Amino acid sequence: MIDRYQAIVRILERVDSTDLVLSNVGMISREVFTAHDRPANFYMIGSMGLLSSFGLGLAMLSPEQKVYVLEGDGSALMSLGTLPLIATERPANLVHIILDNEAYESTGAQPSISSQVDLAEIGRSAGYRQVVRVDDIESLEGAIAEYAGDDGPYLVVVKSGIAPVEGIGRVSHSPIEIRDRFESSVLKEN
Ligand SMILES: Cc1ncc(C[n+]2csc(CCOP(=O)(O)OP(=O)(O)O)c2C)c(N)n1
């Protein structure tokens, strides 16, 4: 089991300055904000389940930028239909990371069904170009380092534990600030 906050720290260490990072509603966004706030981070507010389709659209809009989607298992399960859509559109610049703690941690850690559902297997049958499931931090680092930036869509399922970061703050930017500074980080084609 991987400590999710540590996973987020290690992933963000490997993100280039122009890469776009989208984070899920709830605790994942708070952890990304605390680990490394930057204008090219988009903290999703409110909309559970919609991060992966947002990431797909962005990856298609800006093919020269890597797009990292960091969502939870609950959100991924909520919008499973997006997986075959991503696989079919085949954005080479998309890295879809599911931080799978088998729970809805943000709302009280109620168990999800991902302990019985293999999200990596679903990604494989959906047709992602690369899929990996990691259980330890070294494998996670290797998986992120292996991604060349043009060989996605890449699905990384990170089996992680439930370990809330004590006293973690909320994202302090307003939704409009998040939108505006993120928008100026997107290198649209044309
Ligand atoms: C449509 C919708 N339903 C429910 C919620 C409430 N909600 C916010 S975060 C969350 C849990 C998300 O679970 P998961 O994606 O596994 O991430 P984790 O909380 O474990 O980081 C829930 C139920 C919401 N924001 N939107």
Side-chain angles (χ1 to χ4, degrees), residues 9-134:
V9 168
R10 303 294 176 91
I11 293 164
L12 293 178
E13 279 170 5
R14 271 157 191 77
V15 163
D16 295 329
S17 58
T18 56
D19 296 344
L20 302 175
V21 174
L22 317 182
S23 55
N24 197 34
V25 56
M27 293 312 295
I28 293 178
S29 276
R30 290 168 68 167
E31 291 176 12
V32 169
F33 173 74
T34 302
H36 187 192
D37 181 37
R38 55 200 273 285
N41 289 353
F42 186 89
Y43 308 109
M44 180 60 92
I45 315 262
S47 297
M48 183 180 169
L50 293 180
L51 200 69
S52 53
S53 44
F54 182 38
L56 170 61
L58 274 168
M60 293 170 72
L61 179 77
S62 184
E64 301 306 319
Q65 273 177 302
K66 280 180 250 168
V67 177
Y68 289 83
V69 168
L70 268 63
E71 70 170 346
D73 49 288
S75 298
L77 286 163
M78 190 180 215
S79 51
L80 270 187
T82 310
L83 276 80
L85 187 60
I86 288 173
T88 305
E89 293 294 343
R90 239 173 150 65
N93 53 331
L94 183 70
V95 187
H96 186 179
I97 301 178
I98 301 178
L99 297 158
D100 180 5
N101 58 3
E102 303 182 357
Y104 302 90
E105 181 173 335
S106 304
T107 49
Q110 301 86 353
S112 79
I113 55 169
S114 76
S115 55
Q116 292 156 73
V117 173
D118 187 337
L119 288 166
E121 209 45 62
I122 291 177
R124 269 183 212 107
S125 21
Y128 276 66
R129 196 188 263 179
Q130 298 189 72
V131 178
V132 67
R133 175 187 148 121
V134 293

Side-chain angles (χ1 to χ4, degrees), residues 158-172:
V158 183
K159 291 305 282 190
S160 51
I162 301 171
V165 181
E166 214 170 306
I168 191 162
R170 291 182 178 276
V171 176
S172 58

